[in-house]
Amino acid sequence: MLRLENISKTFNPGTVNEKKALSGLNLHVKKGDFVTIIGSNGAGKSTLFNAISGGFYVDEGSVILGGRDITFVPEYKRSQSIGRLFQDPLKGTAPHMTIEENLALAYLRADKKKAPLSRISKKDKEMFREKLSLLEMGLEDRMTQPVGLLSGGQRQALTLLMATYVIPDILLLDEHTAALDPGTAAKVLELTESIVAENGITCMMVTHNMNQALQLGNRTLMMADGNIVLDIEGEERAGMTVTDLLDRFKNGAGHEMNNDRILLS
Amino acid sequence: MLYIAQTALELGFVYALIPMALFLSYRVLDIADLTTDGDFVLGMAVSVSLAAAGHPFLALPAAMIAGALAGFVTAFLQTRLGVPSILAGIVTNTGLYTVNLMVMGWSSNVNLLKQETIFSLFRGTGIGGAWYELIIVAVITLLAAVILIWFLNTRIGLSIRATGDNKDMVQASSINPGFTISLGLMIANALTALCGAVVGQMQKSADINSGTGIVVVGLACLIIGETVLGRKSIPRNVFAVIVGSVIYRFIYAIVLKTQIVPIECLKLVTAFIVGLAIAMPTIKGRYLLEKQKAAAKRRKGGLK
């Protein structure tokens, strides 16, 4: 589904702030894969997601999604087939617009041909209501309220719904539960799992929770210094503990894992 | 007195198109578009020149198209060429001065002497009696308001609103923000030019300097309207600008009549009020902080 071939990205080249964020990274994600990603601070996890979603163009290499070379396709066009959630729950929704207006925007991705001057129809509203009820947060009865009134968890759940309203070729989750309180985080994660499983969505998720990284999905990547140092799946992954993972990381990266948040969690 | 009220209503309605345009650019898209001053004159110049050539009706859509093009230039500068949005407006505005002179046949002033305008033609029908001017401007402005409200609830309108509300999200919804910003600014500037076009035919002249400071007056009307009616929903916001504009013109008329403030000072007063209104949240925050500091100091003092 997703193929990254030898991609590199250097920020601020030729200055004192030069930072090689990705260096010759190769990755092949198969259709239906649920990949969890962990790594040190500044290992390039978010940069990897930006390279896939088009936040910048890579310096070298190519990005191929669903058999199409999208290396130089602008971000907004890639969004048609890429769903994305950020750590900040405020990033995925428009606060001054109502819940149904936000959903209508997500729905735009579905039907590019739909007349640009058409309005939200009754049928659309019923469909939105049905989808919202799946979240079990009571949002279906607040459809005309501005999104700014929702809690972070509710907004993130809504963003999740919007990102998967049209089934994307790949769903990128960048620590999307990290800014939520533990209870809400568990709820959003549960929703994520069920939506991903039900629709067989190909998914990549960055997390700083090692247990989560091993429990969720079918494949785990560890990143360090702009590259993938460990890629495990199947039986090898099934029998792995967090301690094993840290050992393997040290062997792969040549240094200890240094992610303050991982150590604290 | 009635005459003053009538004039204030007429001017309030016709000039409401400016804060309406600013509502779209400044509030909805969150872009301070300073193309307004020159764009207003552009609409006026196109309209009066075409009316002088015997096309008073064609003059209005033509002025709107000219305005939309000016908006496109501003949008192109900021979305494609990376010029900061405020500068983009100023650059276009400066360039428009020459364009406006050109439209007016390289003269700084064009007058309609005996040629028909939409106003003189409507007056001929006898509808509305002495209030015919008010009827025309009210119909134009209300029509523009209704269309704008309708438009902002269509899919493309929602995309424009989301662009000003959360740009990240818009990209993720596969909408090109460059496109929505361009379209939004084109519509805003078409409205501004329409205002110039109607004003031009109303006063039967176009003057190269008539747009000076009009953006600040427009902002004043926008803020007055929001203060009176609040910022609750799109329809309410759009009608608030008309209310704000009428109130401003009433204040203007009263000042003019009573000379409380010398009329030459009105722009300074307007600028002061607009500056103050936009700074209000910051001033309020600062005031609360100082209050908190004083309270903390008192508590400490009490401990000694």
Side-chain angles (χ1 to χ4, degrees), chain B residues 153 179 225:
Chain B
N153 278 314
F179 170 73

Side-chain angles (χ1 to χ4, degrees), chain A residues 75-76 79-80 90-97 101-102 105 107-109 112 114-119 124 162, chain B residues 149-159 161-163 165-166 168-177:
Chain A
E75 185 172 10
Y76 76 92
S79 300
Q80 256 179 61
L90 306 185
K91 266 194 170 178
T93 43
H96 295 103
M97 295 170 69
E101 285 169 346
N102 270 277
L105 282 174
Y107 190 49
L108 273 179
R109 284 171 46 199
K112 273 277 160 186
K114 202 149 191 166
L117 289 178
S118 66
R119 299 159 67 102
D124 291 339
M162 287 165 61
Chain B
I149 292 167
W150 169 81
F151 176 75
L152 286 175
N153 278 314
T154 61
R155 276 162 208 281
I156 190 85
L158 288 178
S159 314
R161 285 165 57 194
T163 306
D165 209 10
N166 188 343
D168 292 327
M169 176 242 188
V170 161
Q171 292 243 5
S173 304
S174 75
I175 299 161
N176 181 1

Side-chain angles (χ1 to χ4, degrees), chain B residues 20 23 144-146 148-149 152 233-242:
Chain B
M20 205 181 289
F23 168 71
V146 169
L148 183 63
I149 292 167
L152 286 175
S233 66
I234 293 284
R236 203 176 165 134
N237 286 341
V238 172
F239 283 112
V241 301
I242 302 176

